[in-house]
């Protein structure tokens, strides 16, 4: 898992800051023994679910609910995630200065989860854009974001929701 961050003041806009992040996760399973549904011992090389990558939510791609971002190979027909061996996430934010403890953020996020590391395809990244409100609370930055999918898809149970709300503490990245 590798990620990089970039923070720069926007020239001519006072204390307004551009914040960016790029994250790449790649993994491969080790051969291990497992019992199949017929009760037979076999060798598998996939990653256990707890070690797979998941994306979507308030710290990755904010137009999606928690862990609900993925390709057809990493989501079931109802849109529930199974995770994958690779993940790409790109984030960009414009953060305005706080006035009386309140600030605004505009963001664009993109990313996806892929079944295998060799399946990574930047052409399959899903994008979201949105707005956020920041409040400097005594506990830290309180964050309310609304993310809109830029390319909604049809699922067997209906079309994906257009917008997702996130309420959390701390910065997205």
């Amino acid at each position: 898992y590798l990620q990089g961050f970039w923070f720069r003041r926007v020239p001519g806009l006072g204390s307004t800051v551009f914040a960016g992040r790029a994250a790449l996760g790649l993994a491969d399973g080790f051969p291990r023994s497992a019992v199949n549904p017929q009760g037979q011992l076999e060798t598998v090389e996939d990653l256990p679910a707890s070690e797979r990558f998941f994306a979507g939510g308030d710290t990755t791609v904010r137009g999606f609910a928690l862990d609900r971002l993925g390709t057809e190979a990493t989501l079931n027909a109802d849109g529930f995630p199974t995770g994958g061996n690779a993940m790409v996430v790109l984030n960009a934010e414009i953060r305005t200065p706080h006035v009386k403890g309140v600030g605004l953020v505009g963001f664009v996020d993109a990313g996806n989860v892929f079944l295998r590391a060799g399946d990574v395809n930047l052409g399959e990244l899903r994008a979201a854009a949105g707005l956020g409100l920041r409040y400097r609370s005594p506990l830290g930055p309180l964050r309310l974001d609304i993310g809109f999918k830029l390319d909604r898809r049809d699922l067997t149970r209906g079309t994906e929701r257009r917008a997702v709300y996130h309420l959390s503490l701390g910065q997205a990245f």
Side-chain angles (χ1 to χ4, degrees):
Y1 186 76
L2 177 69
Q3 62 181 343
F5 302 92
W6 190 48
F7 300 92
R8 293 285 182 260
R9 284 194 179 195
V10 179
L13 293 179
S15 297
T16 299
V17 173
F18 170 84
R21 173 177 78 158
L24 174 66
L26 302 171
D28 191 23
F30 292 106
R32 60 187 166 84
S33 298
V35 178
N36 66 21
Q38 292 77 32
Q40 300 166 334
L41 192 64
E42 63 181 20
T43 300
V44 295
E45 291 192 34
D46 65 343
L47 288 174
S50 63
E51 300 297 321
R52 294 180 196 145
F53 292 105
F54 293 87
D58 66 326
T59 60
T60 57
V61 181
R62 289 167 275 187
F64 293 83
L66 183 64
D67 297 339
R68 293 291 183 97
L69 176 60
T71 61
E72 289 182 16
T74 63
L75 298 172
N76 70 17
D78 291 325
F80 290 100
T82 57
N85 290 14
M87 175 189 73
V88 175
V89 174
L90 305 170
N91 306 98
E93 285 187 348
I94 296 291
R95 300 175 179 171
T96 66
H98 288 82
V99 177
K100 295 187 178 185
V102 177
L104 296 174
V105 170
F107 62 85
V108 176
D109 299 333
N112 217 335
V113 175
F114 302 92
L115 186 61
R116 302 276 175 243
D119 296 340
V120 172
N121 179 351
L122 298 181
E124 290 187 35
L125 297 185
R126 304 276 315 270
L131 297 171
L133 187 65
R134 305 292 184 264
Y135 173 68
R136 286 188 184 170
S137 77
L139 298 174
L142 183 61
R143 195 162 51 96
L144 175 64
D145 290 326
I146 180 171
F148 298 91
K149 289 176 188 66
L150 299 181
D151 59 342
R152 287 175 39 189
R153 295 195 177 156
D154 291 326
L155 304 171
T156 57
R157 60 178 168 75
T159 303
E160 292 177 318
R161 291 187 298 170
R162 180 175 306 283
V164 177
Y165 296 90
H166 300 283
L167 179 64
S168 54
L169 196 59
Q171 296 289 357
F173 57 93

